[in-house]
Amino acid sequence: MNIHSHFRSRRVVGAITTALTAGLLVASCSSRDLALDLGDDRGQGTEGGGGAGTESVPAGDSYPGLSDALAQQRIQWGDCAAPTPLQGEGMGRPTQLSDGTPWQCGTLTVPVDYERPDGDTIDMALIRVVSPVAEEDRLGSLVFNFGGPGSSGVGTLPLIDEEYEELRTGGFDLVSFDPRGVGESSGVVCLSDDEIDDGDQEDTGPPRSAEEEAELVADSEEYAAACAAHSGDLLPHLSTNNTARDMDLLRHALGDDRLNYFGISYGTELGAVYAHLFPENVGRAVLDAVVDPNPDPVAQSLLDAEGFQLALEHYLEDCATGADCPTGGDVGTGVATIETLLDDLTAEPLPTGDPEGRRLTSGLAMTGIAAALYSEDSWEYLTMGLDEALNAGSGDTLLLLADFYNGRDSQGRYSNLMPALNAIRCADDPSRMEVDEVVRHRDAFETASPVFGEWMLWGVSGCLGWPFEEAAEPEEFSAPDAAAPLLLVATTGDPATPYAGAERMQEAIGGPSVAPLLTNDGEGHGAYTPDNACVADAVNGHLLRGETPEDGLRCE
């Protein structure tokens, strides 16, 4: 359940609308055209803004032993292929914007192990669309990470580029990437699509007996063994620290003195780690939907449980104002109704119209409910799904919501969102909590969330059976000497990254002078959107003009 991805909140609304209207999911294009060099000199060493007039640390100087071929590489941009199954279902091959500006794709070669920079390498998949402004007015590149961890930036940016059009026309080339272990950057694979489906259909809910707990441990160890069999040599190197180092090589290859960055959800964690490792290279940066820096997995999971419970209660309160709310006329009745539904589904899953005959299990229903809480715009689909499940004996809409959350496309193929998420989290912190210790926290989780707590409790044991037990190095976020302020943006009703975590991240980075906090009073995961003029004006002013709002600004 710990998926901190802005893409979930934006993509699910439009995709679900299309799916329900047309009666089927959007089919992805099967084109696999190879990228060709367009000969574009943008990104071939052009020095960008966001720090013009200052000297950054050259990429090669940061890593003794890094070859000139890696340290001084420049990206060869060319045509883009359609998203691959590992990147997730897109809308066909990205070609050009409405003004004719082409999408361009390329790769950046990075070392697998920065302690052995002359060893094996990974080709990191990239995508960009350039700014239309004159060369002398351009601000450089603005690099995006959309969260997860595990979201494909190459697959995501073309789907939501309109949200960032003002930043492009204001002078930034928009750039994103598949982080190491994600999508087409040596994406982690653990199970086949059929094996994932089979596992979901065998779901019997969170374990409630010693026998079921032992089965969970066995399943976790079997899953970890499958990940090791397919991607074992790479797993220890998929840390956030290494992805931050990749971003500094990317900055250098793009020709920018400093990294201008827009991180969302888990991307805020990545951005803070980058600022700690490369404070002198921090350009204009925004961290939206800020992750809690607390390294304690129990505290993290409890915060997630509280966040999703709060979002659910806000939804139920809103639903209860309508005449046809399927969960009753008050929040307490709604919570009890959903608890009963999940219990009933554990015993008897609901049928769906899925062509493979999949049923709505309790786990898939819980995932579908959580998916709809990422954005207030998708509450209507949660109402539809609950009405179907409670009154029509159908699991169609909740299954559809769960599929989008889990990265399952219309052809039954899974992106590598989930295995990448597990691999990155376990690279950052592979410690695992034994079952007897997990169950000691059961009461705390059920108090934090009567609906989600029992499920999220078991997230703290997510690295059971992982092929290593200690992280190569801990994450650190302190960046008091960052060359530019990092603007934090947090939403009071965010289910996935609750507001309190942003306050702690501000302190961890260095306080209000280094990381001013903008508060968005509202619902949903991620605040920046052109529809939210207050947030958009503040963020755009910070990125485009260097006009950073003072700490404490509130948008309602």
Side-chain angles (χ1 to χ4, degrees):
M1 182 53 61
N2 186 17
I3 302 177
H4 296 161
S5 174
H6 170 76
F7 183 52
R8 309 264 75 74
S9 63
R10 294 292 180 257
R11 172 70 170 136
V12 74
V13 176
I16 294 296
T17 301
T18 302
L20 293 175
T21 300
L24 66 159
L25 299 176
V26 181
S28 65
C29 179
S30 61
S31 171
R32 294 293 182 270
D33 295 344
L34 295 176
L36 301 174
D37 180 14
L38 295 181
D40 184 0
D41 63 357
R42 282 183 177 246
Q44 305 297 315
T46 303
E47 294 300 323
T54 64
E55 290 296 328
S56 65
V57 177
D61 292 352
S62 299
Y63 312 107
L66 192 67
S67 69
D68 286 345
L70 294 184
Q72 304 303 327
Q73 65 185 302
R74 288 294 181 263
I75 302 158
Q76 300 299 309
W77 296 102
D79 291 339
C80 295
T84 68
L86 287 182
Q87 291 172 320
E89 187 167 49
M91 299 178 70
R93 182 170 69 90
T95 54
Q96 63 183 25
L97 303 183
S98 58
D99 66 359
T101 305
W103 285 100
Q104 298 175 325
C105 290
T107 59
L108 178 76
T109 303
V110 300
V112 170
D113 185 351
Y114 278 92
E115 292 186 358
R116 297 176 177 81
D118 58 344
D120 293 339
T121 61
I122 297 170
D123 285 337
M124 193 166 72
L126 311 172
I127 192 167
R128 76 167 180 177
V129 63
V130 301
S131 173
V133 304
E135 191 67 30
E136 61 270 18
D137 295 325
R138 69 186 296 267
L139 298 172
S141 297
L142 181 62
V143 176
F144 289 82
N145 180 280
F146 297 103
S151 290
S152 163
V154 175
T156 300
L157 183 58
L159 297 174
I160 55 176
D161 63 279
E162 291 182 359
E163 295 195 11
Y164 309 109
E165 182 63 9
E166 186 170 345
L167 298 173
R168 188 182 76 90
T169 57
F172 282 116
D173 298 344
L174 308 183
V175 178
S176 196
F177 64 105
D178 288 356
R180 56 173 56 210
V182 175
E184 290 305 308
S185 297
S186 298
V188 173
V189 175
C190 298
L191 303 176
S192 70
D193 297 334
D194 288 342
E195 287 172 329
I196 298 172
D197 277 347
D198 290 344
D200 284 342
Q201 290 300 291
E202 293 170 2
D203 166 61
T204 56
R208 293 173 176 172
S209 68
E211 181 181 0
E212 291 177 347
E213 290 165 2
E215 185 177 343
L216 179 142
V217 172
D219 288 345
S220 297
E221 292 176 343
E222 183 179 348
Y223 179 82
C227 296
H230 289 98
S231 305
D233 292 343
L234 189 60
L235 296 180
H237 306 292
L238 299 181
S239 66
T240 299
N241 284 307
N242 280 337
T243 298
R245 296 182 175 107
D246 295 341
M247 287 205 304
D248 200 54
L249 281 180
L250 175 60
R251 169 199 63 79
H252 190 70
L254 289 168
D256 287 342
D257 292 333
R258 293 184 181 173
L259 179 73
N260 303 304
Y261 179 72
F262 202 132
I264 304 152
S265 199
Y266 162 78
T268 66
E269 180 179 335
L270 176 60
V273 167
Y274 180 89
H276 172 78
L277 293 175
F278 305 100
E280 70 279 10
N281 293 348
V282 174
R284 296 175 183 174
V286 171
L287 308 182
D288 184 9
V290 184
V291 170
D292 189 338
N294 190 338
D296 180 358
V298 173
Q300 283 274 9
S301 293
L302 276 171
L303 189 66
D304 283 344
E306 292 169 357
F308 276 98
Q309 184 69 27
L310 178 64
L312 178 64
E313 291 175 2
H314 287 175
Y315 157 75
L316 292 171
E317 184 177 7
D318 179 79
C319 181
T321 62
D324 299 321
C325 180
T327 53
D330 61 82
V331 171
T333 301
V335 168
T337 299
I338 291 175
E339 287 184 87
T340 299
L341 171 64
L342 294 175
D343 284 341
D344 290 345
L345 289 172
T346 298
E348 185 62 41
L350 285 176
T352 73
D354 178 74
E356 302 298 323
R358 292 183 303 145
R359 302 169 300 164
L360 181 72
T361 65
S362 57
L364 289 169
M366 186 275 299
T367 301
I369 292 168
L373 297 177
Y374 272 71
S375 171
E376 193 172 2
D377 291 339
S378 57
W379 285 2
E380 64 179 293
Y381 303 115
L382 179 52
T383 299
M384 184 183 301
L386 290 172
D387 183 57
E388 288 176 356
L390 292 166
N391 299 319
S394 168
D396 284 337
T397 299
L398 289 179
L399 180 63
L400 186 61
L401 287 162
D403 282 349
F404 277 105
Y405 195 94
N406 288 331
R408 188 183 194 274
D409 71 14
S410 59
Q411 299 179 51
R413 303 171 304 183
Y414 285 87
S415 74
N416 89 314
L417 171 64
M418 292 301 183
L421 182 147
N422 288 336
I424 294 167
R425 285 304 187 202
C426 292
D428 286 340
D429 181 15
S431 61
R432 66 285 311 264
M433 190 175 292
E434 299 300 329
V435 170
D436 58 348
E437 188 176 356
V438 172
V439 297
R440 290 195 203 106
H441 299 284
R442 191 191 302 273
D443 289 346
F445 275 81
E446 291 180 350
T447 298
S449 174
V451 172
F452 300 105
E454 191 177 15
W455 300 82
M456 291 187 173
L457 167 67
W458 295 96
V460 301
S461 62
C463 298
L464 282 171
W466 214 244
F468 52 91
E469 296 189 20
E470 294 185 6
E473 57 182 325
E475 292 178 283
E476 295 187 54
F477 307 105
S478 175
D481 299 322
L486 296 91
L487 177 61
L488 309 185
V489 184
T491 298
T492 54
D494 192 322
T497 52
Y499 184 82
E503 296 177 314
R504 285 188 282 269
M505 180 63 88
Q506 181 185 56
E507 182 179 355
I509 292 174
S513 62
V514 183
L517 175 59
L518 186 164
T519 299
N520 177 51
D521 288 314
E523 305 295 330
H525 185 48
Y528 181 87
T529 169
D531 295 334
N532 189 333
C534 176
V535 172
D537 288 348
V539 168
N540 292 347
H542 171 70
L543 290 174
L544 295 174
R545 298 181 294 278
E547 299 171 354
T548 306
E550 293 184 4
D551 179 64
L553 175 65
R554 299 191 77 92
C555 291
E556 298 179 355

